[in-house]
Amino acid sequence: MPSLSATDRARLPDSAFAYIDSQGRRRLPINDVSHVRNALARFDQVDFEDDVARERARERLLRAAKKHGIVPLGFFDGQLRKARGANVRSLPRGTVTFLLTDMEGSTRLLERLGDDYTALLRDVRTTIRASVRESSGYEVDARADEFFAVFRRATHALEAAVAIQRALRDKTWPQKADVRVRIGMHTGRPTLTETGYVGIAVNIAARVCYASHGGQILLSSAAHDAFNERLAEGIAFRSLGRYSLHGLAEPEALFQVNAVGLITKFPRPRTIGPLRSRADVT
């Protein structure tokens, strides 16, 4: 580790460190080339207070690497291998419930917000990730404005979905942007491989998510049938009928989650097939 005495450390500004915790402790010095290389190597050994702090430190460290002309290929590869390997080993097997989210109008938001979009996307992802974890879920993947999670129990997935929509509804966004995510849920028995889940269950979950609108939570028929216990107070299911979804041979029955405080009126699902039947159930 590069030499840095306590006196020299105290003289450095906060900007010379990748991470400063809530108690003012400064970690991972990045004031010169040697310290940046050391910080890259030690990043995974640091305990961060939350995902926001971790991502902020990561961005600061990568900016420092760019400043000093360091190409952190090993850092990127190590991060990906560690995340993928640990993640897959911890994922549940057997019958599970998938939850997929997708931000509505993300391209328009990017064009409107410019540099503010990156922070907004990070805030949305942090909010979703927190709701998933608090409901005993597992993060499978997060790419661009999409998020993929899995749950052992359908009730926990529903708790997370409602929590996500309520949390995003209550936030104040840059430039008064209207931020909404689509949420789709499906229950099935996928195959878990070294690279993640595969099988028709994943495809159905993705199609159900695609069919939804911003602020809406849609369930497949299998996800709806997985609920064999009483729903929480203020939550009900509304049958929307059967629709032909992109890439699926058979029409799929879709159910909307109605919850206190959330939007309940939406256009018809974004599908390729006509409405077959309609009824309201709880």
Side-chain angles (χ1 to χ4, degrees):
M1 176 177 178
S3 176
L4 186 64
S5 68
T7 301
D8 291 337
R9 188 184 185 93
R11 289 174 179 168
L12 293 174
D14 287 349
S15 59
F17 294 85
Y19 177 50
I20 302 173
D21 65 22
S22 59
Q23 297 181 8
R25 291 187 295 246
R26 306 193 295 180
R27 306 179 187 179
L28 299 180
I30 52 174
N31 59 301
D32 59 26
V33 173
S34 297
H35 283 102
V36 170
R37 292 188 184 281
N38 184 63
L40 289 168
R42 298 179 58 210
F43 185 81
D44 287 332
Q45 301 173 26
V46 177
D47 291 327
F48 296 94
E49 293 171 310
D50 52 39
D51 290 328
V52 175
R54 181 184 181 85
E55 184 62 21
R56 187 182 299 119
R58 181 178 180 276
E59 291 181 356
R60 182 177 289 181
L61 178 53
L62 293 178
R63 285 198 299 269
K66 182 178 181 180
K67 173 185 175 182
H68 292 291
I70 300 171
V71 181
L73 295 178
F75 175 74
F76 287 135
D77 291 344
Q79 290 271 297
L80 289 172
R81 283 197 302 270
K82 181 178 179 181
R84 188 181 296 117
N87 195 28
V88 170
R89 287 193 298 272
S90 67
L91 296 177
R93 299 174 183 272
T95 300
V96 298
T97 296
F98 289 134
L99 182 153
L100 277 77
T101 76
D102 176 32
M103 192 185 304
E104 183 177 65
S106 57
T107 301
R108 293 194 302 272
L109 284 172
L110 174 59
E111 294 173 347
R112 173 185 171 185
L113 299 178
D115 292 341
D116 287 339
Y117 179 78
T118 299
L120 181 146
L121 180 58
R122 184 169 58 244
D123 197 5
V124 169
R125 185 175 294 175
T126 299
T127 299
I128 294 173
R129 183 172 284 129
S131 296
V132 167
R133 289 180 176 175
E134 289 171 5
S135 298
S136 303
Y138 301 78
E139 178 178 339
V140 178
D141 198 6
R143 300 181 184 180
D145 60 345
E146 301 174 350
F147 197 94
F148 182 17
V150 64
F151 299 78
R152 297 184 187 278
R153 298 179 58 192
T155 52
H156 290 164
L158 179 60
E159 290 172 4
V162 173
I164 289 168
Q165 297 293 24
R166 285 174 173 166
L168 295 178
R169 173 203 62 189
D170 294 340
K171 283 184 174 292
T172 299
W173 302 102
Q175 302 182 36
K176 298 182 180 180
D178 184 15
V179 178
R180 300 184 184 186
V181 299
R182 310 179 183 98
I183 298 181
M185 291 171 50
H186 175 66
T187 299
R189 289 183 62 87
T191 299
L192 182 59
T193 70
E194 293 181 354
T195 58
Y197 291 106
V198 296
I200 188 62
V202 179
N203 293 337
I204 295 176
R207 299 312 181 196
V208 173
C209 178
Y210 176 84
S212 64
H213 297 275
Q216 188 177 36
I217 304 170
L218 287 186
L219 276 65
S220 67
S221 57
H224 173 265
D225 294 345
F227 289 87
N228 51 19
E229 53 192 271
R230 186 179 182 85
L231 298 177
E233 186 70 24
I235 296 179
F237 295 145
R238 179 188 179 193
S239 173
L240 301 181
R242 293 172 62 83
Y243 289 85
S244 296
L245 303 184
H246 294 263
L248 300 183
E250 297 296 328
E252 177 66 38
L254 297 178
F255 296 80
Q256 176 179 301
V257 177
N258 288 351
V260 173
L262 299 186
I263 303 171
T264 57
K265 294 184 179 180
F266 298 94
R268 56 161 289 162
R270 305 190 314 149
T271 64
I272 61 174
L275 186 66
R276 302 298 180 87
S277 62
R278 200 178 184 89
D280 289 343
V281 298
T282 56

